Amino acid sequence: MRVKSYKKLAAISVITGSVLFSSACSDANSTSGSKKSGDSNTISITFRDGGGTNKGLTDWLNNDIIPEFKKEHPKANIKLSPISASEGDYFAKVALMLKSDQSAPDIVTEDTFMVNSDASAGYLEPLDDKLKGWDEWNQYIDNVKNGVKAQDGKTYGVPFNTDSRGLWYNKELFKKAGLPVPWEPKSWDDILTAARTIKKKDPGVIPLWMNSGKATGEGTSMQTFEMLLYGTKDPLYDEGKGKWIVNSQGLLDTYTFIDTIYKEKLGPNLSQVLNGQGGTIAYTQLMPKGKLAIGLDGIWQAGNYRKDGPAPWPDAFKTLGYTAMPTQNGEEPGQTSMSGGWAFSIPKKSDNKDLSWEFIKFISTKENNLKLLLKENNLSPREDVSKESEYLNLPMFKEATEFLEHTHFRPSVDKYPSVSTVIQSTVEDVVTGKSSPKQAVENYQKNVTRVVGKDKVIER
Amino acid sequence: MVSPSTSVGRTSSPHKSNHKKLVTSLLFLLPSWILLLIFFIGPILLTFYFAFTNLSLTGSEAQATQFVGFSNFVNMFQDPNFRISVIKTIVYLLFSAIVGQQILGFILALLMKEKNPAFRRVIGIIVIAGWVTPEIVVAFCWVAFLNDSGTLNMILQQIGLKPVAWLFTFPMTSVIIANIWHGTAFSMLVFQAALDDVPKSIEEAAVVDGASRFQVLYKIVLPMIKGSVVTNMILVTLQTLGVFTLIYAMTGGGPGTSTQTLPIFMYNQAFVNYQLGYGTAISLILLLIGVLVSLLYLKSMKVKV
């Protein structure tokens, strides 16, 4: 009996052992398959795609860039390794990829708010020495250059786009409701008045859409919360003191505005807006169908309505207006905006930094950058591109470029991404009625203090 | 491969051969043990270590991870979101694992006992279909069924009722029902096997002595299958405690925090807020809860394992 059970045990051990071994081996094989070949002519480039995201960037790389680059570097082999993920997951995946020699790509596209954080983590290669010898760097707008600088003062990326945010509105719905066109709101109250009027005159229409949930990630922090907060007297971060402002009238007023929108039902249904696809639905379905009156969002939404965009709409810009976001009570300078953008960075663990840099220089020339922006519908980080008539003729680009005059950039502090997620969850709590604006400020204070440390926060 | 050792065992003295058997078996066991050590015990020890650091996915801490003592745990117990998550986890566990899967599984098994085999097979297959479906597919099916323009709302509209945003109005109920649908088959199978093992003669004897059907069930059958009940309870509890995919795919832990159970909270802290150390500390608490609940079951049911 005992012999038999030993036998059984031994047999089971051997089987599980060999299964585990073989699975371990096959794992090693599969990772080595995706590993960089190590040959000096291959570079891989990682960006976010899937679900129509970055279609412009992908097209541009495949059709405009790679064939041209190969003419200059016949041996070069450019491998695209896109990540299909939601915005929030993209950054986590990139961070994990950059950690390891095995998986780090040679070029990665980073949202500029992550550059500082990933640079502080030691994932990215400083580019200062390379930039010194590159005569086109002085064409880049200073503000945008600051966005790719980390706390150590070094530059970690070459921006390829930037953006600005404002209020999209449907002129026809405004006229129908008896509201002035063109619309130039002077304060938050003007926005609320317009939204209330729409609700009263046209109950089937959603008066105002702003990203309000955790699922829309950075879109909630930047397009909604910061667009409001930076219109008050209290920004997110005190640059002079180097501290986060965790309790201020501005914070309370911001949460109160958001609360008012949902309490008075001036916004969309929660099931629509708390969805990761919410923004897409708002601008590709509701807006063209005349079901949405006002939307607080970025210039890139204009790209939806192009002939080859996700929701072609030839008359879009006869119907739609794009106006600046006012400050809270019309304080100087009367309007506000937020800007971000994306950059090409070279990971520290890239094994082909020289060719990667050649590639970045090539794709960042005036001609190539212009080609990208015409496809992407984003603003250019280069001054010379912004003056091109082809660029200025893009619908709403004149307005969006004007917003840049009074725009703000997110604090370039490595803790920003974590603070941003606190913003998203507190906003969702207010929207769902889980906490009052006052409680939201308290939660914000508590959680931000935990994330950044007690010595890095102040109250106002 | 093992035959040489057994043939030796038959010829030599039993004591000596047993010793030899032991060595041989240990030798065969060695690969599994080494692998278990590397892939199971190692990560658990690492979890303990990381729970006391400020390990981060990005930012300066990713480069210079420091030992921070108990501060992750102090923060956790001060974090109102953690408290909410513990409560959500208990609610989810209670209704989906204990009330839902256990009781429903038992009732199904009981109703199917001694029924026509063809009937048993058909019902069994239907119930098990939920169980064999991968969690992510279950989540997708339920989202398709419950969402704003989903099947359920279409039916409601057909019969003239107003559609309901189920996943937003009743998020916890939705994920609990989905998990019950997914997991009941397991309990049903365990209870079926246990009930089939209860000798018919005992039940008949009890009936002859004048016991009602309920008394037979409560006084005779349940005590006899107590071991299976506890085992099933522990397995279902541990499985439900760790449910992530289903909830994350259906509601993402929302709206707000209404379905934010501990696994979701842990994921958010580790991979959305990039605080791996904090996330690890939460996972440790989750582990602890699992152990405590299991011990509680064993103790309260007075079953020895």
Side-chain angles (χ1 to χ4, degrees):
Chain A
M1 197 57 200
R2 286 197 68 172
V3 173
K4 225 176 168 183
S5 63
Y6 277 139
K7 250 170 79 182
K8 251 191 207 156
L9 209 62
I12 291 170
S13 308
V14 170
I15 292 167
T16 43
S18 55
V19 167
L20 281 173
F21 259 128
S22 63
S23 64
C25 290
S26 66
D27 252 13
N29 284 338
S30 67
T31 46
S32 72
S34 67
K35 193 186 159 180
K36 296 157 294 171
S37 54
D39 84 67
S40 61
N41 287 316
T42 300
I43 52 174
S44 56
I45 167 164
T46 288
F47 52 93
R48 187 181 152 223
D49 89 339
T53 318
N54 276 335
K55 189 172 166 287
L57 182 77
T58 320
D59 284 354
W60 173 70
L61 283 171
N62 280 328
N63 303 333
D64 298 326
I65 294 301
I66 294 174
E68 291 297 315
F69 187 71
K70 279 201 174 150
K71 277 184 200 156
E72 281 182 31
H73 300 81
K75 282 186 193 155
N77 179 19
I78 316 292
K79 218 174 84 186
L80 302 186
S81 45
I83 294 180
S84 285
S86 72
E87 191 170 289
D89 288 345
Y90 174 77
F91 304 121
K93 285 194 176 187
V94 162
L96 288 168
M97 275 175 99
L98 299 185
K99 255 177 172 328
S100 148
D101 284 321
Q102 304 263 318
S103 55
D106 297 299
I107 297 174
V108 61
T109 65
E110 288 263 31
D111 192 327
T112 47
F113 86 97
M114 287 303 293
V115 167
N116 197 343
S117 193
D118 282 349
S120 304
Y123 296 155
L124 301 178
E125 178 78 6
L127 300 175
D128 299 70
D129 291 344
K130 296 191 162 82
L131 289 169
K132 248 180 240 159
W134 189 41
D135 50 4
E136 305 216 12
W137 187 231
N138 57 22
Q139 285 295 336
Y140 281 76
I141 301 164
D142 283 337
N143 263 342
V144 180
K145 278 185 186 172
N146 286 334
V148 286
K149 250 188 210 151
Q151 266 157 303
D152 62 4
K154 290 184 186 153
T155 299
Y156 287 89
V158 176
F160 58 89
N161 65 28
T162 183
D163 47 34
S164 65
R165 287 151 180 75
L167 292 160
W168 291 100
Y169 66 100
N170 186 321
K171 293 182 205 164
E172 282 168 12
L173 292 176
F174 266 59
K175 278 181 201 153
K176 225 169 101 187
L179 287 161
V181 174
W183 185 45
E184 278 162 354
K186 297 279 178 256
S187 65
W188 290 2
D189 278 337
D190 287 355
I191 301 175
L192 287 175
T193 312
R196 285 175 188 137
T197 313
I198 299 271
K199 185 179 162 62
K200 215 162 92 192
K201 297 265 169 71
D202 208 343
V205 166
I206 297 166
L208 173 64
W209 185 294
M210 36 188 207
N211 294 316
S212 308
K214 290 189 281 196
T216 32
E218 188 59 18
T220 299
S221 304
M222 210 176 170
Q223 272 94 281
T224 302
F225 187 85
E226 288 158 21
M227 281 298 281
L228 290 162
L229 185 69
Y230 278 81
T232 72
K233 292 187 204 75
D234 306 298
L236 206 56
Y237 185 76
D238 188 324
E239 298 278 354
K241 293 187 182 129
K243 286 174 199 274
W244 295 91
I245 302 165
V246 290
N247 193 347
S248 68
Q249 189 59 39
L251 279 168
L252 183 63
D253 292 345
T254 298
Y255 286 117
T256 309
F257 182 88
I258 297 170
D259 189 43
T260 311
I261 295 295
Y262 288 94
K263 232 199 235 144
E264 296 187 17
K265 302 216 183 301
L266 301 173
N269 283 336
L270 293 186
S271 57
Q272 283 176 309
V273 75
L274 298 185
N275 189 306
Q277 292 302 311
T280 313
I281 291 166
Y283 294 95
T284 60
Q285 296 178 19
L286 299 173
M287 202 59 133
K289 281 185 194 152
K291 292 278 171 212
L292 173 62
I294 313 168
L296 181 55
D297 219 301
I299 174 64
W300 59 86
Q301 298 293 2
N304 288 326
Y305 312 125
R306 284 186 341 208
K307 237 192 315 189
D308 53 347
W313 181 13
D315 289 339
F317 303 103
K318 282 182 202 148
T319 311
L320 295 185
Y322 197 40
T323 190
M325 177 75 183
T327 50
Q328 186 179 6
N329 301 307
E331 296 94 339
E332 281 303 304
Q335 54 167 272
T336 185
S337 187
M338 292 296 300
S339 292
W342 288 72
F344 294 115
S345 293
I346 302 181
K348 198 153 242 168
K349 302 214 158 143
S350 152
D351 55 7
N352 208 343
K353 289 171 188 153
D354 291 333
L355 187 61
S356 302
W357 175 245
E358 285 305 310
F359 188 71
I360 291 183
K361 275 202 293 192
F362 179 79
I363 57 187
S364 304
T365 58
K366 183 180 167 192
E367 294 71 35
N368 283 333
N369 187 249
L370 179 62
K371 278 182 198 162
L372 171 66
L373 297 166
L374 293 178
K375 288 199 157 129
E376 264 200 341
N377 254 72
N378 253 331
L379 303 184
S380 175
R382 292 179 64 115
E383 274 164 19
D384 49 4
V385 173
S386 323
K387 286 178 191 135
E388 288 290 309
S389 59
E390 213 181 333
Y391 172 86
L392 286 170
N393 284 340
L394 285 170
M396 303 298 165
F397 268 49
K398 220 178 108 256
E399 288 83 348
T401 310
E402 280 166 12
F403 298 167
L404 283 179
E405 204 176 314
H406 301 295
T407 197
H408 298 92
F409 287 82
R410 291 162 287 188
S412 64
V413 184
D414 73 334
K415 280 296 185 313
Y416 174 79
S418 300
V419 173
S420 176
T421 59
V422 175
I423 294 176
Q424 292 150 30
S425 57
T426 46
V427 168
E428 183 163 321
D429 283 350
V430 168
V431 168
T432 52
K434 192 136 278 169
S435 49
S436 69
K438 222 172 148 198
Q439 285 166 323
V441 177
E442 282 164 21
N443 287 339
Y444 178 81
Q445 176 163 16
K446 217 180 283 172
N447 285 312
V448 172
T449 309
R450 177 172 61 76
V451 171
V452 303
K454 278 196 189 86
D455 51 335
K456 287 273 170 25
V457 297
I458 47 168
E459 297 185 28
R460 267 198 192 168
Chain B
M1 259 190 285
V2 280
S3 57
S5 67
T6 44
S7 63
V8 173
R10 272 180 202 124
T11 49
S12 54
S13 78
H15 184 74
K16 208 177 162 191
S17 79
N18 264 352
H19 181 70
K20 221 170 174 181
K21 274 323 98 52
L22 188 68
V23 172
T24 330
S25 321
L26 283 179
L27 211 66
F28 277 116
L29 276 169
L30 205 63
S32 321
W33 276 106
I34 291 174
L35 285 165
L36 272 180
L37 220 62
I38 297 174
F39 293 111
F40 194 66
I41 316 244
I44 289 186
L45 291 179
L46 273 180
T47 305
F48 267 94
Y49 170 69
F50 286 139
F52 295 93
T53 65
N54 63 355
L55 183 71
S56 169
L57 196 55
T58 177
S60 48
E61 290 91 356
Q63 192 153 231
T65 302
Q66 281 170 344
F67 189 74
V68 293
F70 281 94
S71 79
N72 280 333
F73 294 93
V74 172
N75 281 332
M76 198 188 308
F77 290 112
Q78 284 171 354
D79 190 344
N81 268 320
F82 173 72
R83 255 167 284 154
I84 292 171
S85 294
V86 171
I87 295 168
K88 299 287 172 198
T89 310
I90 292 172
V91 171
Y92 185 65
L93 197 62
L94 197 71
F95 287 98
S96 122
I98 298 169
V99 177
Q101 295 185 22
Q102 280 267 359
I103 296 184
L104 196 66
F106 183 75
I107 293 174
L108 277 173
L110 200 66
L111 291 176
M112 280 163 70
K113 199 183 163 200
E114 288 156 28
K115 290 279 166 0
N116 177 342
F119 173 78
R120 271 180 80 144
R121 206 168 303 133
V122 171
I123 298 292
I125 286 169
I126 292 171
V127 178
I128 290 169
W131 187 47
V132 295
T133 313
E135 221 172 318
I136 187 73
V137 181
V138 174
F140 182 80
C141 291
W142 279 93
V143 169
F145 184 66
L146 293 175
N147 82 30
D148 292 5
S149 50
T151 319
L152 185 58
N153 278 331
M154 271 162 70
I155 297 171
L156 286 182
Q157 273 166 316
Q158 284 296 319
I159 57 174
L161 293 171
K162 263 196 164 175
V164 180
W166 297 103
L167 289 168
F168 286 83
T169 326
F170 308 102
M172 192 45 124
T173 320
S174 302
V175 291
I176 285 176
I177 291 176
N179 194 45
I180 293 175
W181 183 83
H182 178 49
T184 302
F186 179 76
S187 299
M188 185 191 79
L189 290 177
V190 170
F191 288 130
Q192 256 180 1
L195 288 175
D196 286 345
D197 278 350
V198 176
K200 232 181 152 188
S201 53
I202 299 182
E203 284 178 63
E204 278 163 3
V207 172
V208 170
D209 287 345
S212 69
R213 286 196 72 165
F214 182 73
Q215 276 173 324
V216 172
L217 182 68
Y218 193 69
K219 295 242 160 99
I220 312 277
V221 176
L222 270 181
M224 284 188 76
I225 63 164
K226 199 165 72 176
S228 305
V229 173
V230 174
T231 311
N232 185 43
M233 197 105 128
I234 293 175
L235 289 176
V236 168
T237 301
L238 294 182
Q239 191 261 336
T240 306
L241 211 54
V243 170
F244 170 78
T245 319
L246 186 74
I247 303 181
Y248 194 73
M250 280 179 73
T251 64
T257 49
S258 30
T259 50
Q260 183 185 270
T261 57
L262 278 172
I264 305 274
F265 183 58
M266 175 180 91
Y267 175 85
N268 283 339
Q269 297 302 328
F271 296 103
V272 181
N273 290 357
Y274 313 115
Q275 315 224 341
L276 291 178
Y278 189 43
T280 315
I282 299 165
S283 76
L284 213 57
I285 295 291
L286 195 61
L287 187 79
L288 211 69
I289 294 179
V291 171
L292 280 178
V293 172
S294 305
L295 285 178
L296 196 79
Y297 288 159
L298 290 175
K299 196 106 190 154
S300 66
M301 298 283 206
K302 297 192 188 83
V303 175
K304 275 185 193 144
V305 182

